[in-house]
Every structure is written in C-alpha cells, then in structure tokens.
C-alpha cells in the first residue's frame, strides 16, 4: 500500500437551519479553506470526490450544482458517492493507490433542515414492507436502545452521562451546534421522546459541510512540513455493512463495526483519541465495545455527533477531527469512525498516525 | 495503473418497461446471480461490492444500497454506492476496477440498476427548486437545443437521427436482453412517430426501462482461475466539467475529449477509428451518435454524421457502434452506462452471442451524464498490452 495522509481539514460551523445559504454556498468557503490550508494549488489536485444525498434537500443531482460551485474547469477527474463523505474519502484513498496521482480533494455537504429529518430517513428502509409503516429514525434507534437496556448493556443514566460529556467537550469546539454544562439528573427528569430515548439521547439536526485534502508519500510530507503540522498517515482503513432488516439483526451488537475495526488494525497499538460517529447516546456505548476501545482512549473530544450532526458530513468530520489531533501532535494514534443507515448498519474505521 | 484487472463475469436482466414480476431486490439479484454464474463463482468469493444507480428519486428510496445489502450478499463486506448522474453505471464499474487495480481486493462484484417503473423519471429529474424556473422538459428537452445547434453547425442532413434509431433497433433484434424488439422499424416509422422535442421523434428517444447489470472483476491471478476468456481492463478515466459555464462547448465537450484521450493513452491507442474494433457508447437520443463520433475522435469535427450515413457505425461497418442495440433499445438509466461497459467486455471476450462483432479484440465502453458534463470510459481488450 502506498502511504497516504490527511494533510488538511476544514468544516463549516454546524447550525440547526441555515436559512440564508443553500448547500453550495455553505460548501464553497469550506473547500476554499481546505485547499488553501493544504498548500496545494487547485490545478495540482489529481482527483476530486464528494459525498452527499439528494433526499436531504429533496432535489435530484444536488452534487451537480456543488461541482459547479467548486469549479471544474479545465475538466477534472471526479466522482461522487451518495453516502457520507467518509466513504468518498475511501474512494479517494483507493484512487491514490495507483501511483499516477499524488493528491485528492474530498468534500461533502448536507442540509438536513430542508425536510423533516427523522421522516426523511424512513425512506432508507425497505420500500415495500417497512417504509409504508413509516417508522422514523428516532423510533428505530429507540428499539436498539431498549434492546441494550434489556440486555443489561447500558442504562438511561449511563446514556445521559454520554450526553453530558459530549456537550461539555463541545464547548471547546467552535464548529459545534450544541454545547454547555448540564446535569445528568436534570436531563433524566425530561420526558421521553420515544422511550427510552430523551431529547439529549438524540443528535441535533444540522446543516453543514466539510472537506479534507489527501496526499501521498513525499508530497504529503512536503506539504505538512511547510505548514508546520505532522502528516496524519492513514495506517488502516476498512468499512463493512450489515443487513438492514432489523428483525434479522441482534441490535445489541454491530458486527460490521467489529470487522472494520479488526481489519483497520485498531488493536495493534493504543489509541489516544477516538472520534466515533454515534448519533445516539447508546450507540457510543455499543461502539466503544465493538471497536475494542478501553478507558484510556479519549472519546469524542469534539463533542461528536451529539453536538453536531450534519447528515453525509458528520462521518468525514470525525476523520478531520481525528486527523487534526495528529496534525497538532496531540495524538500519536487516532481512530475515526463513520456510520450510515438505521441502527449503525454500515460502519467505517480509519486509523491515523503521526510519523 | 496498478495491478491488472479483468472482467470475468457479466450478467444482465431481461429489460422491460415494467418488471412487475420482481421487486428491486429481485431485479438486482437477477443480474448479480447471472454474473456470478458466468464465472463459476458464488457470493462467498466476492470480497467487496460497488453499487450504482441514478437519482434515488427514480424509485423513491433513499440510499437503496442499504436496503439491498443483504440481497447482494454484502453482509460483512465493504460496500460503496456511486452516483454520478447518467454516467453512473460507467463510474461504478471504474470504482470497482480501481478496488482491484489498487491491490485492495481480488474479486469485486459491481451492480448497477434502475427500476424506473416504480416512479416517473421526468418528474424525478425536474422538481421545482425555489427561485429556479420549473422546466419540466425532461432530458430530451435539455438536449434538443444542443442537437439543433449541432445540425446547424455541421450541416448534417435531417435523416441522420432517423437512421441511427433504425440501426440501433435492428441491432437490438440480435440481443435477447434488449427492452425494445421492433422488427418492422424503418425510416418511415421513425419519421412518422410523434415529434417530442424538435428534431427528436418519439422513436429517436430511449425507452424508460427496468433493468440491472452486474460484473465480476478480478485481479490477474483470480481471473486465470475462471472458466471463460477474461476481458482485460486497459484504460479507465472519469472526467467532469461544470454545467453552467459560458465557455463550454456542449456539442463537443472538452471533458469527453480529454476522457477519451486518457483511456486511449493508457491502452496504447493511436488512431481510435483504426485501432478500436467496436464501441458501446451512450446514445439516449439518436443524434448523440454522430456527435459522440466527433467527441471520441472517430471522425473530424462536424463530420460524425458521415459515418452514420456511410454505414460505418452499422453492425457490419468498419466501426460498429452499439451492436447490442444500445441505450436506444434499453435504458434502465443507472445501469445504462454499466451495460455499455459490460457489452464492450463481452465483445472482446467473444461472448456477445448473436450480436458478436467478429474478431473484436479492443472495445470502448462509454457513458455520459448530467448536462453532458460527466464522462466515464474504459478500454477493454482480449489481451493485456
């Protein structure tokens, strides 16, 4: 495998509803920032790939207008995944293995505020048998939380503690949407939205965008040296999917995350920082176990998806946040995780290391 | 380019306006199982999957690959979903090829599909966006003015489009999987069909199809173990340019020219018309055959129509284009590009059956999308080069 590193990362501040800007307008400053921060000129970027999903905005081909905004003249080598930007990064990583290009731009955007997100996500489900019953994403996640509590794997209190820690950590994150000091008891006094989930167990609905630049070998070294940061080398990258049908899965487990963690080499050395894309509190608890993380690993110092959850973006933000810790020398070895689909159906794990 | 990658298995569905006998799962499985059977492999041999289709609104399912994962044997495996507008079938195949060429996997299954009968494509392509005029004209409405401008610029006679329509439908008679089998089609019937978007008649336009296409791609070692002759991937490229840009040449887009130049360079093609034996190119509206003949370097600018009139692009011509019947005969949009790529592979591995171009050794698979600004292409050959 050719050595590939994240050399720069940029994100938009996540907000509940950006009424002034469309998706492209949210995205453009982020792309400009990430390219400038990489030290590369636009014409030296060998491959561009984006992640987004039309269903959020309710328009087809939303990536087409984004590409126009970002600029593609003279014509560029370019692709798009209808997925979180973390998978766009996986495609870029593959492309960089060929040896004929040295750098790639990955960007993603999502404006969840345009529709009613929990209902929009219903449309991910089996269109003939499940979606017509219209279970929303919070109710589906609640099934998993209930299964975990019933199995003795977590409690409503432990879940609230995750929310309190996430919001507290998010105070240090200028891009987060939801932050502050809360008490566990006060949160537990709130009513359930969909039992056992309370408002604090669920992610905020966010509009946002993010981008990273990848570079290979000496190009990455040169760029990072010039910018005074440590390259965040991708030492392991794997993603897996589980069946969607909730009836055939043991919702207290997440085999796809477990395999991805194994294949990415999580257990080879201690992990200093892990950025986990867990939209619901119980999912962080489940994922810590499936990813094989112990109490020595610092979890979600950014506040995670409980502090900002722009759909199709939050996964790439995890990679960017983890890479930034390595860039600054705050972590020697970091884990980034992304998820997609109901109840953690699809999972990606990326291991980033300094020199 | 990395390691060698070959197409070892190809499968496609019987295409139809409505496959009411199958769910979406059934449709993709029909193609995937056919591809696996074609190379004597089973689900467990597949290491990773790449799925492609055009906008989710065509079926009304958000990220349908999540729902399709277990039906495609993807559980516990890596799966990625590509969407690059009409070129998606081609781009999907390319992402799958890159997974092999990069050395990450030995055997990858790639599937592209569209079940257009479950929605209304013209509606799904043109929703009303705030502050944009609703142009409910469909794809034909978008491309017709470009075609008119091509006709004016090239001084092509009016019957070129009619001839392409007849030729591709006649070719489709040799292809049992094609959606349209119109044995009695001739210039008259095409000319007398309703005028949809001047100059395009109804029979000069692609149908709306349910269908899927699948391929198994393998590295050299795995390819040697499969029963049939592999089709070697000799060159891959994707190129994009903006939709809205006054400097664009929409008749002969620069991204298409550069995409072709890139795959020719990789495959060692110097003179495309002489070196390439046949091509499956994305022609959803008849006039795109002459236009792409120029864009792909088979004919000088403004002279692509001569190839059609001289019969060069016919099944027995010197540059057979769309021997399968092409997009004009089957158009499950998300799969249409992959069908072009797969048909090119079938030609060079000698398994195109009734529509086999005799002695085909080097073939081009081509797809385009959006406002003709996304291009994906591959060159496949019967031998490595």
């Amino acid at each position: 495998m050719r050595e590939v590193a994240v050399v720069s990362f940029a994100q938009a501040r996540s907000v509940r509803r950006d009424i002034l800007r469309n998706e492209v307008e949210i995205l453009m400053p982020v792309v400009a920032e990430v390219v400038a921060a990489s030290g590369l000129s636009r014409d030296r970027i060998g491959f561009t790939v984006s992640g987004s999903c039309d269903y959020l905005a309710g328009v087809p081909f939303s990536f087409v207008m984004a590409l126009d905004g970002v600029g593609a003249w003279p014509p560029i080598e370019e692709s798009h995944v209808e997925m979180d930007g973390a998978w766009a990064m996986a495609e870029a990583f593959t492309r960089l293995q060929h040896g004929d290009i040295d750098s790639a731009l990955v960007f993603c955007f999502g404006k969840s505020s345009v529709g009613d997100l929990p209902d929009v996500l219903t449309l991910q489900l089996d269109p003939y048998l499940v979606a017509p019953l219209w279970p929303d994403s919070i109710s589906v996640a609640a099934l998993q939380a209930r299964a975990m509590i019933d199995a003795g794997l977590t409690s409503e209190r432990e879940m609230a503690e995750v929310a309190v820690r996430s919001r507290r950590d998010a105070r240090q994150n200028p891009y987060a949407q939801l932050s502050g000091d809360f008490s566990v008891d006060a949160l537990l006094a709130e009513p359930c939205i969909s039992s056992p989930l309370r408002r604090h167990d669920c992610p905020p609905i966010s509009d946002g965008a993010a981008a990273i630049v990848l570079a290979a070998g000496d190009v990455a070294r040169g760029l990072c040296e010039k910018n005074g940061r440590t390259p965040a080398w991708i030492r392991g990258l794997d993603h897996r999917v589980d069946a969607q049908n909730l009836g055939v899965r043991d919702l207290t487990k997440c085999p796809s995350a477990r395999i991805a963690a194994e294949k990415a080499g999580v257990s080879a050395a201690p992990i200093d920082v892990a950025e986990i894309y867990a939209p619901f509190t119980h999912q962080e608890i489940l994922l810590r176990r499936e990813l094989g993380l112990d109490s020595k690993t610092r979890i979600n110092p950014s506040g995670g998806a409980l502090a900002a959850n722009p759909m199709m973006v939050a996964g790439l933000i995890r990679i960017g946040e983890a890479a930034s810790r390595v860039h600054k020398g705050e972590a020697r070895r970091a884990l980034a995780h992304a998820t997609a689909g109901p109840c953690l159906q699809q999972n990606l794990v990326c291991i980033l290391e300094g020199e | 380019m990395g390691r060698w990658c070959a197409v070892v298995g190809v499968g496609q569905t019987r295409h139809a306006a409505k496959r009411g006998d199958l769910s979406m799962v059934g449709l993709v499985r029909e193609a995937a199982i056919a591809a696996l059977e074609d190379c004597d492999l089973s689900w467990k041999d597949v290491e990773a999957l790449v799925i492609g289709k055009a906008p989710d609104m065509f079926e009304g399912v958000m990220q349908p690959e999540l729902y399709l994962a277990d039906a495609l044997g993807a559980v516990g495996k890596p799966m990625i979903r590509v969407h690059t507008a009409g070129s998606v079938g081609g781009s999907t195949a390319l992402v799958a090829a890159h997974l092999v060429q990069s050395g990450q996997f030995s055997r990858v299954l790639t599937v592209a599909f569209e079940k257009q009968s479950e929605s209304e494509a013209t509606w799904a392509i043109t929703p009303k966006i705030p502050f944009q005029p609703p142009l409910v004209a469909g794809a034909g409405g978008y491309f017709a003015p470009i075609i008119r401008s091509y006709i004016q610029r090239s001084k092509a006679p009016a019957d070129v489009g009619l001839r392409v329509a007849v030729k591709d439908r006649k070719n489709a008679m040799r292809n049992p999987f094609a959606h349209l089998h119109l044995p009695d089609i001739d210039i008259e019937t095409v000319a007398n069909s309703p005028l949809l978007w001047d100059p395009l008649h109804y029979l000069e336009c692609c149908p709306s199809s349910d269908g899927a296409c699948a391929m198994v791609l393998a590295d050299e070692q795995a390819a040697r173990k499969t029963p049939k002759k592999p089709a070697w991937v000799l060159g891959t490229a994707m190129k994009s340019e903006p939709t809205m840009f006054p400097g664009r040449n929409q008749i002969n887009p620069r991204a298409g020219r550069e995409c072709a130049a890139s795959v020719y360079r990789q495959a060692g093609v110097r003179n495309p018309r002489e070196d390439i034996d046949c091509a499956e190119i994305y022609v959803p509206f008849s006039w795109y055959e002459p236009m792409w003949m120029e864009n792909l370097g088979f004919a000088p600018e403004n002279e692509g129509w001569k190839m059609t009139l001289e019969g060069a692009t016919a099944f027995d011509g010197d540059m057979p284009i769309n021997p399968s019947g092409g997009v004009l005969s089957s158009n499950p949009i998300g799969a249409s590009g992959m069908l072009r790529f797969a048909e090119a592979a079938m030609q060079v591995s000698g398994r195109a059956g009734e529509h086999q171009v005799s002695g085909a050794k080097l073939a081009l698979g081509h797809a385009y999308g959006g406002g003709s600004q996304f291009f994906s292409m591959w060159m496949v050959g019967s031998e490595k080069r």
Side-chain angles (χ1 to χ4, degrees):
Chain A
M1 281 286 162
R2 202 170 173 219
E3 279 192 312
V4 172
V6 178
V7 298
S8 63
F9 165 59
Q11 61 179 313
R13 192 165 69 82
S14 292
V15 295
R16 173 63 184 88
R17 180 177 283 119
D18 195 326
I19 49 169
L20 293 177
R21 300 186 299 172
N22 65 23
E23 289 172 317
V24 184
E25 289 164 328
I26 297 171
L27 173 68
M28 281 172 68
V30 174
V31 171
E33 186 187 333
V34 83
V35 173
S38 74
L40 278 173
S41 58
R42 214 40 108 69
D43 59 353
R44 279 194 56 208
I45 291 172
F47 181 60
T48 300
V49 58
S50 59
S52 66
C53 179
D54 286 348
Y55 252 99
L56 297 175
V59 294
F61 305 117
S62 55
F63 62 93
V64 175
M65 295 317 288
L67 187 68
D68 272 24
V70 168
W73 193 265
I76 58 171
E77 185 98 6
E78 191 263 345
S79 184
H80 172 260
V81 296
E82 193 82 356
M83 306 173 85
D84 187 289
W87 276 268
M89 192 204 76
E91 186 182 329
F93 180 80
T94 297
R95 187 67 192 79
L96 279 164
Q97 295 304 321
H98 288 233
D100 57 341
I101 57 163
D102 292 323
S103 60
L105 166 67
V106 181
F107 65 83
C108 55
F109 55 94
K111 210 174 168 189
S112 313
S113 66
V114 181
D116 183 332
L117 185 64
D119 280 348
V120 170
L121 291 174
T122 301
L123 297 170
Q124 283 180 335
L125 305 171
D126 177 335
Y128 306 106
L129 301 172
V130 182
L133 303 173
W134 218 257
D136 64 82
S137 57
I138 295 173
S139 309
V140 169
L143 290 173
Q144 186 175 39
R146 174 60 64 201
M148 284 184 67
I149 291 172
D150 287 352
L153 296 169
T154 191
S155 63
E156 292 177 39
R157 175 162 291 274
E158 192 189 14
M159 286 156 58
E161 285 164 1
V162 169
V164 167
R165 194 208 70 232
S166 298
R167 293 179 182 188
R168 192 178 58 227
D169 286 345
R171 291 177 313 174
Q172 309 302 317
N173 178 1
Y175 300 98
Q177 179 179 340
L178 189 54
S179 64
D181 284 309
F182 295 84
S183 90
V184 170
D185 288 324
L187 292 182
L188 286 174
E190 295 290 321
C192 285
I193 301 177
S194 182
S195 176
L197 300 179
R198 295 178 174 80
R199 199 175 178 81
H200 66 260
D201 294 306
C202 306
I205 293 172
S206 318
D207 293 350
I212 62 171
V213 171
L214 296 179
D218 287 342
V219 175
R221 267 185 206 95
L223 291 170
C224 286
E225 197 173 320
K226 216 164 52 183
N227 291 317
R229 58 175 87 107
T230 309
W233 298 106
I234 298 171
R235 301 287 192 211
L237 176 63
D238 199 85
H239 57 93
R240 304 278 154 165
V241 69
D242 290 319
Q244 182 178 82
N245 193 318
L246 302 175
V248 304
R249 282 158 71 186
D250 176 349
L251 294 179
T252 66
K253 296 192 170 78
C254 188
S256 60
R258 185 174 284 264
I259 302 170
E262 251 171 57
K263 299 282 179 188
V266 173
S267 62
I271 304 280
D272 304 318
V273 172
E275 281 283 343
I276 301 176
Y277 184 6
F280 295 90
T281 52
H282 68 274
Q283 293 179 338
E284 182 191 298
I285 295 158
L286 196 164
L287 284 165
R288 282 198 307 237
R289 190 184 67 210
E290 297 291 35
L291 298 174
L293 299 174
D294 58 29
S295 57
K296 289 183 204 124
T297 299
R298 176 93 161 83
I299 308 280
N300 288 351
S302 68
L306 289 164
N309 186 36
M311 295 301 297
M312 307 305 140
V313 181
L316 191 71
I317 290 178
R318 305 279 76 72
I319 292 166
E321 287 284 356
S324 298
R325 303 277 161 185
V326 175
H327 286 158
K328 289 184 264 187
E330 294 171 11
R332 202 198 64 78
R333 193 161 190 260
L335 178 151
H337 160 270
T339 195
C343 294
L344 305 171
Q345 188 195 345
Q346 191 173 22
N347 294 277
L348 178 147
V349 176
C350 179
I351 301 293
L352 297 151
E353 288 181 4
E355 293 286 1
Chain B
M1 187 180 100
R3 294 195 311 178
W4 283 104
C5 170
V7 181
V8 296
V10 176
Q12 61 182 294
T13 57
R14 185 174 53 75
H15 305 289
K18 184 175 174 70
R19 285 297 301 271
D21 57 327
L22 296 174
S23 65
M24 231 173 282
V25 163
L27 192 74
V28 293
R29 276 179 73 88
E30 185 171 303
I33 290 171
L36 288 169
E37 284 178 349
D38 192 38
C39 53
D40 262 358
L41 294 175
S42 66
W43 297 107
K44 67 173 171 28
D45 299 311
V46 174
E47 295 168 10
L49 292 95
V50 186
I51 300 175
K53 65 169 250 79
D56 292 2
M57 278 169 203
F58 280 180
E59 291 84 5
V61 187
M62 177 181 182
Q63 300 178 300
E65 70 281 2
L66 292 166
Y67 142 70
L68 294 170
D70 63 344
L72 286 171
V75 172
K77 295 173 187 172
M79 179 194 78
I80 201 159
R81 154 79 192 286
V82 179
H83 178 197
T84 64
S87 64
V88 64
S91 312
T92 305
L94 295 186
V95 173
H98 293 163
L99 287 176
V100 173
Q101 291 172 333
S102 68
Q104 289 171 288
F105 302 101
S106 303
R107 285 178 299 268
V108 175
L109 174 66
T110 183
V111 184
F113 76 100
E114 207 73 73
K115 201 160 195 303
Q116 284 193 237
S117 67
E118 303 209 2
S119 177
E120 167 49 58
T122 294
W123 169 82
I125 287 174
T126 49
K128 194 167 166 238
I129 303 166
F131 312 116
Q132 279 189 4
L135 183 76
V136 189
Y142 183 91
F143 292 118
I146 300 169
I147 290 169
R148 288 201 296 273
S149 131
Y150 171 72
I151 293 171
Q152 190 177 45
R153 200 169 77 177
S154 69
K155 301 188 173 54
D159 62 345
V160 173
L162 309 177
R163 289 177 188 277
V164 173
V166 172
K167 185 228 5 155
D168 280 5
R169 269 58 177 270
K170 292 276 188 205
N171 286 352
M173 291 304 295
R174 301 166 179 265
N175 178 3
F177 295 100
H179 171 178
L180 295 182
H181 285 136
L182 305 172
D184 299 326
I185 195 167
D186 57 17
I187 303 278
E188 292 263 288
T189 40
V190 179
N192 290 332
S193 65
L195 190 65
L196 291 191
W197 301 279
D198 188 15
L200 294 169
H201 297 83
Y202 175 76
L203 283 172
E204 288 178 274
C205 303
C206 53
S208 195
S209 315
D210 285 357
C213 179
M215 285 189 283
V216 179
L217 304 181
D219 65 14
E220 190 168 8
Q221 203 184 1
R224 296 288 183 210
K225 289 184 196 149
T226 55
K228 291 182 187 154
K229 192 170 164 42
W232 299 99
V233 177
L234 305 176
T236 62
M238 306 186 214
K239 286 278 183 187
S240 309
E241 65 182 48
T243 339
M244 313 269 186
F245 167 49
R248 272 188 84 200
N249 180 345
Q250 297 202 59
I251 296 169
N252 193 351
R254 179 166 163 184
R257 295 199 306 269
E258 291 185 2
C259 194
S262 175
V263 290
Y264 295 162
R265 190 172 57 246
Q266 293 168 52
V269 169
R270 294 230 167 76
N271 182 336
R273 178 133 178 210
E274 274 176 27
D275 298 349
I276 297 171
D277 298 310
C278 62
E280 283 279 343
I281 67 169
Y282 205 101
V283 178
F285 301 101
S286 60
W287 279 91
Y288 270 85
E289 175 174 295
M291 287 162 66
W292 291 150
M293 289 303 95
E294 297 169 22
N295 195 240
L296 292 167
F298 294 141
E301 195 149 26
N302 296 324
E303 292 182 23
W305 56 270
K306 291 181 183 167
M307 287 180 69
T308 302
L309 287 195
E310 289 160 3
T313 61
F315 190 81
D316 56 359
D318 72 79
M319 186 71 242
I321 301 295
N322 296 333
S324 69
V327 182
L328 281 173
S329 305
S330 311
N331 185 36
I333 297 183
S336 291
M338 189 173 287
L339 285 163
R340 308 282 70 72
F341 279 47
E343 287 284 354
M346 285 159 66
Q347 289 290 347
V348 299
S349 54
R351 45 179 146 163
E354 290 281 297
H355 61 284
Q356 176 70 48
V357 172
S358 147
K361 290 188 169 60
L362 187 64
L364 172 70
H366 161 278
Y368 87 101
S372 50
Q373 88 256 39
F374 300 112
F375 292 86
S376 59
M377 299 178 202
W378 79 5
M379 291 290 308
V380 282
S382 56
E383 303 296 334
K384 292 187 293 175
R385 307 200 147 195

